[in-house]
Amino acid sequence: MIKGVMFDFSGTLFRIEPAARWLRTVVTKAGLDVPEDELDACVRRLEDFGAQPGGIPPRTVPPSLEALWRERDLTAERHRSAFTALTREAKLPAADLAEALYERSQAAGAWLPYPDTGETLRALRGRGIPVAVVSNIGWDMRRVFSVHGVDHLVDAYFLSFECGVKKPDPRIFQMACDELEVAPGEALMVGDEPAADAGATALGCQVHLVQPLPVDERPDALAEVLRLL
């Protein structure tokens, strides 16, 4: 019987805005006049390098950045350094946009909840089932939950950069189970990354995976969570 649920953040409960909107928002704010074809080409390069936090995974990581990329979620400094370095590799319209793009990726308005995020969290709260967010991340995204009005439905957050350990290490899942006061065998981990989120099985947790699709393409994938209880 499931008595506690852990959720991943990006690609599970929320999704970052499309890379094209991400870049255009920052370029417009900077007052730059960049031809559309150049913007489109830059978006493709940003996606190739996986330079948008929470966006498409990198198709290629420069050898000089591989070590930093592997450890990006362990500290805020490494996270910022990894992603700003990747944006610079994408040959931005202006070099100083790297920091602005990184800041935009942490804005609550850049993130959208999946259509069934709120109703799923409310249903769990109604059933008395505690919820934790367990995420490999290098910044504090609690404000995203607050701005979108669902922070009161989350009992605890376990963020890799705060915990000093990241998924799939069983220790971060154990931390969450301890806080929720449930045995691992009574916990469900819901995420979108098999390699990371399925690490919870090492403790005996159940795992349910969803697809990290754009928000408008995934209306009700979290509903399955309620059927697993």
Side-chain angles (χ1 to χ4, degrees):
M1 180 178 179
I2 300 300
K3 296 183 178 179
V5 180
M6 299 175 281
F7 286 96
D8 179 47
F9 167 56
S10 175
T12 300
L13 293 175
F14 285 82
R15 178 77 180 184
I16 190 78
E17 64 190 346
R21 176 180 160 188
W22 178 55
L23 176 61
R24 283 173 169 79
T25 297
V26 169
V27 166
T28 299
K29 186 176 181 179
L32 299 176
D33 184 14
V34 182
E36 280 298 311
D37 59 340
E38 290 186 22
L39 285 175
D40 291 341
C42 187
V43 168
R44 291 193 293 272
R45 293 192 298 270
L46 287 166
E47 291 181 335
D48 283 342
F49 284 108
Q52 183 187 31
I56 297 173
R59 299 184 180 99
T60 179
V61 174
S64 61
L65 297 177
E66 287 178 353
L68 181 61
W69 176 254
R70 287 193 299 270
E71 299 180 347
R72 67 192 182 282
D73 293 321
L74 289 175
T75 71
E77 294 75 20
R78 292 175 190 171
H79 194 270
R80 177 182 288 272
S81 294
F83 281 103
T84 53
L86 287 175
T87 55
R88 293 187 180 98
E89 290 286 336
K91 299 177 182 178
L92 298 170
D96 59 355
L97 290 182
E99 292 293 335
L101 283 167
Y102 187 77
E103 294 299 327
R104 172 64 188 175
S105 73
Q106 297 186 12
W111 292 87
L112 292 174
Y114 281 96
D116 54 350
T117 289
E119 64 187 73
T120 300
L121 293 177
R122 283 190 290 273
L124 291 171
R125 178 55 55 95
R127 298 188 190 190
I129 296 176
V131 166
V133 171
V134 182
S135 177
N136 285 351
I137 196 167
W139 57 281
D140 185 355
M141 74 323 201
R142 291 174 178 85
R143 186 170 181 274
V144 175
F145 285 78
S146 177
V147 168
H148 288 281
V150 294
D151 56 314
H152 65 292
L153 302 173
V154 177
D155 297 285
Y157 294 84
F158 292 87
L159 314 183
S160 59
F161 85 104
E162 293 179 339
C163 297
V165 62
K166 62 188 181 74
K167 301 177 295 186
D169 193 312
R171 289 177 292 175
I172 195 167
F173 301 110
Q174 185 66 65
M175 292 175 192
C177 288
D178 290 345
E179 181 66 23
L180 298 183
E181 298 183 344
V182 299
E186 300 171 331
L188 173 67
M189 175 66 206
V190 183
D192 65 284
E193 294 185 21
D197 298 313
T201 60
L203 286 178
C205 303
Q206 294 186 46
V207 173
H208 177 66
L209 296 174
V210 296
Q211 294 295 316
L213 299 172
V215 166
D216 59 357
E217 296 178 22
R218 210 196 76 191
D220 56 5
L222 295 176
E224 181 64 24
V225 172
L226 303 177
R227 290 193 285 270
L228 293 172
L229 301 179

